[in-house]
Amino acid sequence: MTYRPAIVSGQRVRPNGPATHVDAAVLATGEVLPGDLFVDASGRGARTAGWLSAAGGPLLPSVTSECGLLYYSRHYRVREQHPMPRPVSLLGGPRGDLGYLAFAVFLGDNRTFCLCIMAAPWDKPFRSLREPAAYQRAAALLPGLAPWLEVAEPISPVLPMGQLRNTLHRVVGATGPLVTGLMPIGDARCHTNPTFAFGASLSLWHAVRLADLADRASDHTDLAMSFDAEIAADATARFDAVSAEDADRARLWSGQPMDVTDAEASMPLFLRFVAYRVAAGDPELLRAVARRIDGLDPVERLPALPHLLDRARTLYAQSVATFPEVPPRTTLLAALTG
Ligand SMILES: Cc1cc2nc3c(=O)[nH]c(=O)nc-3n(C[C@H](O)[C@H](O)[C@H](O)COP(=O)(O)OP(=O)(O)OC[C@H]3O[C@@H](n4cnc5c(N)ncnc54)[C@H](O)[C@@H]3O)c2cc1C
């Protein structure tokens, strides 16, 4: 096998019955690289759909929805003389949704962690989060964060990330594949809001399944159809679930009255605010939540288990009084301006 780093800037196509077949990649140097199968793993900024139509191929149908979040991430390292703070959530670090802003701590290696603070793109005063001192002051007020920040030092600037959209591309139409010889996988096929942490597992799963099916497929059409049969329904369900939660969170953060403890009003917010939050109090609920978050179960499984939703309601009612206080929006904004 030859590994050749290069920038791809287009593709060459030819007809394959009713489909379009990609038979070469065009590199940024102008070199045309023929091949049997092209795997598009170029991530959420994938441009292959545009290249395909520019080369005379079909316009691949795709659906998008706004994530409605600007990310402000900063990496920290826990100082040598301090033990790591104790885990407080399934992913280890504190996380939460304040009803106008969300945050999450992701654990790294070598005593590092990353704090992501997420604000709505339309909530412009929170854009001061890009300023390190303002970020630090606001971070210290987030529920559960103080013990982490007290023992750690920043090892990166504040890293803003925006323009986040959930995107789902389709490569098979009603009568068969629209394109053959080109297989978009991972984020290039389906990109979802990083908060849900589906992307890496799905990308690896796509890659493994594609390698397996490519070994057995009788031709390019068979491969396109069999890969689609394995991954398309799951990708669509995840895209829909993430889009639904993003839409409901945008309504909540815009000030629309919503009872997040009412699964009838919003199942996505009920799961996020209630079921995920209290899951550690019940082994069966914890397992179901972990399997949903980790991509092991179909996303629709947990919402279809009423006995676990009931248990979540009960646990929530028992523990809500002990939840840390949420800083009001005005307090966090005041901290930003110092
Ligand atoms: C802040 C953040 C937090 C996340 N947290 C999690 C998490 O906790 N768990 C989880 O599962 N997922 C998480 N994700 C999502 C996860 O990172 C992605 O879903 C995953 O990396 C997608 O893998 P991929 O291989 O499809 O694409 P990528 O990892 O994006 O790789 C694409 C590669 O293609 C290259 N490339 C692009 N264009 C070209 C070109 N024209 N020519 C040549 N090369 C090109 C890029 O340089 C890149 O190396 C997170 C994402 C972000 C942004």
Side-chain angles (χ1 to χ4, degrees):
M1 189 171 82
T2 309
Y3 173 66
R4 223 184 115 185
I7 305 280
V8 183
S9 61
Q11 51 211 2
R12 190 177 71 187
V13 302
R14 62 173 164 77
N16 178 17
T20 294
H21 185 74
V22 173
D23 67 2
V26 180
L27 305 188
T29 55
E31 185 184 349
V32 176
L33 207 61
D36 186 40
L37 177 65
F38 292 88
V39 179
D40 176 8
S42 60
R44 69 187 170 100
R47 291 189 289 143
T48 42
W51 294 335
L52 192 63
S53 58
L59 197 57
L60 295 180
S62 59
V63 270
T64 60
S65 63
E66 291 295 329
C67 298
L69 293 174
L70 289 179
Y71 275 60
Y72 297 89
S73 303
R74 195 169 202 196
H75 295 266
Y76 296 81
R77 176 173 283 120
V78 175
R79 293 188 199 91
E80 279 305 328
Q81 65 272 30
H82 294 284
M84 286 297 286
R86 85 184 165 80
V88 290
S89 73
L90 264 179
L91 292 177
R95 58 190 305 151
D97 185 320
L98 310 183
Y100 57 88
L101 174 141
F103 68 98
V105 165
F106 295 93
L107 298 189
D109 54 8
N110 286 322
R111 304 168 61 79
T112 62
F113 64 87
C114 177
L115 168 63
C116 297
I117 303 182
M118 294 152 266
W122 63 84
D123 206 352
K124 299 214 166 123
F126 280 116
R127 296 203 180 170
S128 321
L129 280 165
R130 68 177 65 217
E131 203 267 299
Y135 186 93
Q136 209 67 11
R137 287 192 298 270
L141 296 178
L142 298 173
L145 243 290
W148 292 69
L149 296 177
E150 276 158 17
V151 297
E153 58 198 1
I155 54 170
S156 81
V158 178
L159 305 163
M161 180 175 74
Q163 303 283 328
L164 283 170
R165 275 179 204 94
N166 305 303
T167 309
L168 178 69
H169 297 288
R170 298 190 210 286
V171 294
V172 170
T175 54
L178 301 166
V179 60
T180 55
L182 172 73
M183 307 296 283
I185 65 168
D187 277 12
R189 179 71 178 251
C190 175
H191 170 254
T192 51
N193 184 342
T195 312
F196 295 76
F198 285 150
S201 349
L202 282 191
S203 302
L204 290 169
W205 181 58
H206 287 180
V208 169
R209 293 311 301 135
L210 179 60
D212 184 37
L213 292 168
D215 265 351
R216 293 189 272 124
S218 54
D219 59 19
H220 280 293
T221 302
D222 181 30
L223 178 60
M225 294 303 287
S226 54
F227 185 62
D228 199 68
E230 286 230 8
I231 64 122
D234 178 80
T236 304
R238 284 179 201 283
F239 173 86
D240 288 346
V242 173
S243 299
E245 182 170 332
D246 284 343
D248 283 359
R249 187 188 53 254
R251 298 210 322 261
L252 180 73
W253 286 14
S254 305
Q256 282 191 34
M258 292 180 80
D259 181 359
V260 295
T261 65
D262 180 359
E264 303 271 314
S266 168
M267 179 59 81
L269 295 186
F270 173 83
L271 293 177
R272 176 74 55 188
F273 280 80
V274 177
Y276 290 8
R277 187 145 199 200
V278 300
D282 180 278
E284 197 188 346
L285 177 62
L286 179 64
R287 207 170 294 118
V289 167
R291 290 185 65 84
R292 187 173 201 263
I293 291 174
D294 291 339
L296 292 170
D297 274 350
V299 277
E300 54 273 25
R301 182 165 183 268
L302 176 58
L305 296 173
H307 71 291
L308 288 187
L309 304 184
D310 279 344
R311 260 187 244 168
R313 276 184 202 97
T314 307
L315 282 168
Y316 186 87
Q318 288 165 353
S319 50
V320 66
T322 67
F323 291 165
E325 214 174 301
V326 168
R329 185 171 179 281
T330 45
T331 306
L332 224 59
L333 286 177
L336 282 179
T337 52

